[in-house]
């Protein structure tokens, strides 16, 4: 095994490592370039009895103002994006620190379909299985073949096949049943090169009409649509200082849907909703926020709601984590009082 000297830094501000640009310092911080340096950094943490936190691109993260009294492992494992042909499929095994959008672009440039709708999502490859990243009708669970990870219980590297990852809407075993147990070091994606893109999402079918676009055309269209919605990180744009959608779309019972309808004096069929598993119903969180008075451009101190996307809470400039918490709490309380629905926060909270 390759050995490296690890560089443990102290009192490193975490805000610049997050897309919200918010958060206090990490007591200890280490960049992880190799699997062996990951093991060394863990030894340091265990010797000093420190909790650890795994940081990717910081795009699904809200760090408290106090920061984190522990060791932050910044996953920057890098390597080539090289396709391998296997049994009429194309596979890519990627180190976890590769920027997700770089990979999507590379796959689309090769004319391969499977991740084109996930263009423009910030963060790292290793972050994508954690919440089963999804957008515009695609999820990474459709193309992930396996995930390589360090099992913190045994300190052995394991290869978890897709079926063992517990993928569901914004969920996997990495953020539910086995949260904190695995550190992802590589992900293998598998594509059927004969498959053509299948567009299901209204914004995209409207955009292309009857045309049969290539993956690269879809890549660019998705980025354009995301930009219009403030869901693309663009340097200097205030709506970019977010952690993406701040609330998950709630999955509720039919009684709750009927309660929402009664509260708003609407028929249940007038409320946008989709059936999900076991007779449950998914409601759009953004729609609920708007009905509760939290509209685009809403301001609370230095925190606010994006002017282009109701679900994105933003740092309007110099916001603290406390200000984001205050806005989050106000939204959750009002939505719960009105609709009896407790909205679940999507970004991970540290400290
Ligand atoms: C503008 C914007 C748009 C977005 N749009 C979408 C979208 O359309 N769909 C969507 O699903 N998400 C979206 N997101 C959320 C976010 O980009 C994804 O969840 C992304 O995959 C997070 O990856 P990351 O590397 O930034 O993870 P981080 O934010 O660094 O970490 C998030 C969580 O994953 C864990 N983690 C990260 N890397 C690893 C690893 N290697 N091993 C183990 N655990 C790890 C962290 O410990 C933490 O718990 C958006 C965010 C922003 C800011």
């Amino acid at each position: 095994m390759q050995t490296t000297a690890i560089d443990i830094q102290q009192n490193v501000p975490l805000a610049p490592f997050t897309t919200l640009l918010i958060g206090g310092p990490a007591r200890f911080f280490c960049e992880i370039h190799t699997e062996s340096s990951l093991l060394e950094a863990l030894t340091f943490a265990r010797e000093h009895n420190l909790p650890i936190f795994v940081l990717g691109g910081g795009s699904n993260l809200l760090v408290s103002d106090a920061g984190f009294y522990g060791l932050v492992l910044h996953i920057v494992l890098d390597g080539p994006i090289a396709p391998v042909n296997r049994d009429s499929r194309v596979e890519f095994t990627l180190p976890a620190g590769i920027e997700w959008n770089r990979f999507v672009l590379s796959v689309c440039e090769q004319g391969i379909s499977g991740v084109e709708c996930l263009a423009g999502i910030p963060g790292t490859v290793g972050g994508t299985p954690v919440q089963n990243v999804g957008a515009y009708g695609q999820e990474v669970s459709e193309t992930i073949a396996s995930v390589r990870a360090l099992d913190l219980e045994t300190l052995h590297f394991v290869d978890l096949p897709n079926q063992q990852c517990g993928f569901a809407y914004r969920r996997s075993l990495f953020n539910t049943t086995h949260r904190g147990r695995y550190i992802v070091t590589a992900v293998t994606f598998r594509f059927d090169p004969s498959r053509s893109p299948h567009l299901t999402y209204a914004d995209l079918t409207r955009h292309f009409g009857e045309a049969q676009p290539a993956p690269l055309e879809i890549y660019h269209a998705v980025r354009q649509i995301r930009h219009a919605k403030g869901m693309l990180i663009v340097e200097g744009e205030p709506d970019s200082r977010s952690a993406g959608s701040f609330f998950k779309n709630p999955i509720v019972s039919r009684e709750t849907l009927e309660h929402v309808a009664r509260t708003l004096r609407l028929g249940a069929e007038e409320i946008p909703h989709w059936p999900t598993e076991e007779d449950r119903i998914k409601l759009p969180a953004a729609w609920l926020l708007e009905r509760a008075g939290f509209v685009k451009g809403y301001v609370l101190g230095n925190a606010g709601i994006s002017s282009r996307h109701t679900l994105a809470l933003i740092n309007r400039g110099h916001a603290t984590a406390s200000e984001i918490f205050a806005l989050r709490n106000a939204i959750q309380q009002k939505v719960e009082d009105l609709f009896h629905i407790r909205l679940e926060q999507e970004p991970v909270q540290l400290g």
Side-chain angles (χ1 to χ4, degrees):
M1 186 187 284
Q2 183 194 353
T3 53
T4 44
I6 51 165
D7 178 17
I8 306 271
Q9 301 168 55
Q10 299 196 39
N11 302 319
V12 174
L14 289 173
F17 293 97
T18 72
T19 51
L20 264 169
L21 297 176
I22 286 178
R27 179 68 188 88
F28 297 98
F29 183 95
C30 184
E31 302 229 305
I32 303 299
H33 294 272
T34 62
E35 288 188 345
S36 54
S37 65
L38 176 58
L39 289 169
E40 284 182 61
L42 283 170
T43 305
F44 174 88
R46 288 183 180 192
E47 281 171 2
H48 295 82
N49 214 6
L50 295 168
I52 58 160
F53 181 77
V54 181
L55 173 68
S59 63
N60 205 27
L61 187 59
L62 176 53
V63 181
S64 76
D65 297 317
F68 178 60
Y69 196 92
L71 172 64
V72 168
L73 303 166
H74 187 207
I75 305 296
V76 291
L77 291 149
D78 201 3
I81 301 178
V84 173
N85 293 313
R86 207 184 299 279
D87 303 332
S88 77
R89 297 286 187 268
V90 180
E91 283 188 5
F92 295 82
T93 296
L94 306 163
I98 287 183
E99 187 200 344
W100 170 250
N101 187 71
R102 235 185 88 208
F103 170 57
V104 175
L105 176 59
S106 170
V107 171
C108 292
E109 281 175 342
Q110 293 171 56
I112 298 171
S113 167
V115 286
E116 60 279 0
C117 295
L118 306 176
I121 297 180
T124 58
V125 163
T128 60
V130 176
Q131 71 152 358
N132 183 18
V133 157
Y136 301 101
Q138 262 176 2
E139 289 183 336
V140 285
S141 56
E142 294 160 35
T143 44
I144 287 180
S146 62
V147 175
R148 178 171 166 84
L150 179 66
D151 182 345
L152 292 174
E153 281 186 5
T154 61
L155 285 192
H156 287 128
F157 288 94
V158 291
D159 285 297
L160 301 167
N162 178 303
Q163 301 73 9
Q164 279 179 28
C165 292
F167 289 127
Y169 168 68
R170 297 295 181 275
R171 278 175 205 279
S172 71
L173 61 79
F174 307 108
N175 70 355
T176 57
T177 50
H178 293 69
R179 187 187 202 114
R181 174 164 172 184
Y182 295 106
I183 300 179
V184 177
T185 56
V187 185
T188 298
F189 291 85
R190 184 178 295 144
F191 299 91
D192 175 355
S194 65
R195 183 180 174 274
S196 29
H198 174 61
L199 299 181
T200 53
Y201 206 82
D203 280 354
L204 284 171
T205 47
R206 245 195 322 271
H207 184 94
F208 286 109
E210 296 300 303
Q212 296 286 307
L216 192 56
E217 291 173 271
I218 299 172
Y219 169 93
H220 289 298
V222 166
R223 288 183 62 95
Q224 202 181 317
I225 293 167
R226 280 187 161 274
H227 190 203
K229 293 187 171 175
M231 279 285 124
L232 194 68
I233 305 252
V234 180
E235 183 89 31
E237 290 191 4
D239 283 341
S240 291
R241 289 191 297 262
S242 82
S245 297
F246 203 87
F247 299 105
K248 295 181 186 176
N249 290 324
I251 295 176
V252 303
S253 63
R254 175 143 288 276
E255 291 72 50
T256 304
L257 172 72
E258 279 159 11
H259 171 75
V260 175
R262 273 196 306 278
T263 305
L264 295 171
R265 295 172 198 273
L266 294 171
E269 68 293 343
E270 292 175 86
I271 297 179
H273 63 278
W274 312 275
T276 64
E277 73 286 352
E278 290 165 15
D279 267 356
R280 310 273 294 167
I281 293 156
K282 195 193 275 187
L283 296 177
W287 191 88
L288 295 170
L289 255 68
E290 279 163 13
R291 294 307 172 286
F294 295 101
V295 293
K296 293 183 185 118
Y298 185 95
V299 166
L300 187 66
N302 290 313
I305 293 179
S306 159
S307 66
R308 288 179 275 174
H309 197 293
T310 317
L311 269 194
L313 303 197
I314 58 163
N315 170 3
R316 300 175 57 245
H318 309 294
T320 59
S322 309
E323 288 176 292
I324 300 283
F325 294 149
L327 177 55
R328 174 202 62 193
N329 294 347
I331 292 171
Q332 281 176 327
Q333 194 58 56
K334 183 90 183 279
V335 168
E336 191 164 9
D337 289 348
L338 280 175
F339 305 128
H340 300 176
I341 295 172
R342 183 75 184 165
L343 289 177
E344 199 185 331
Q345 174 175 322
E346 188 177 301
V348 171
Q349 200 166 305
L350 177 62

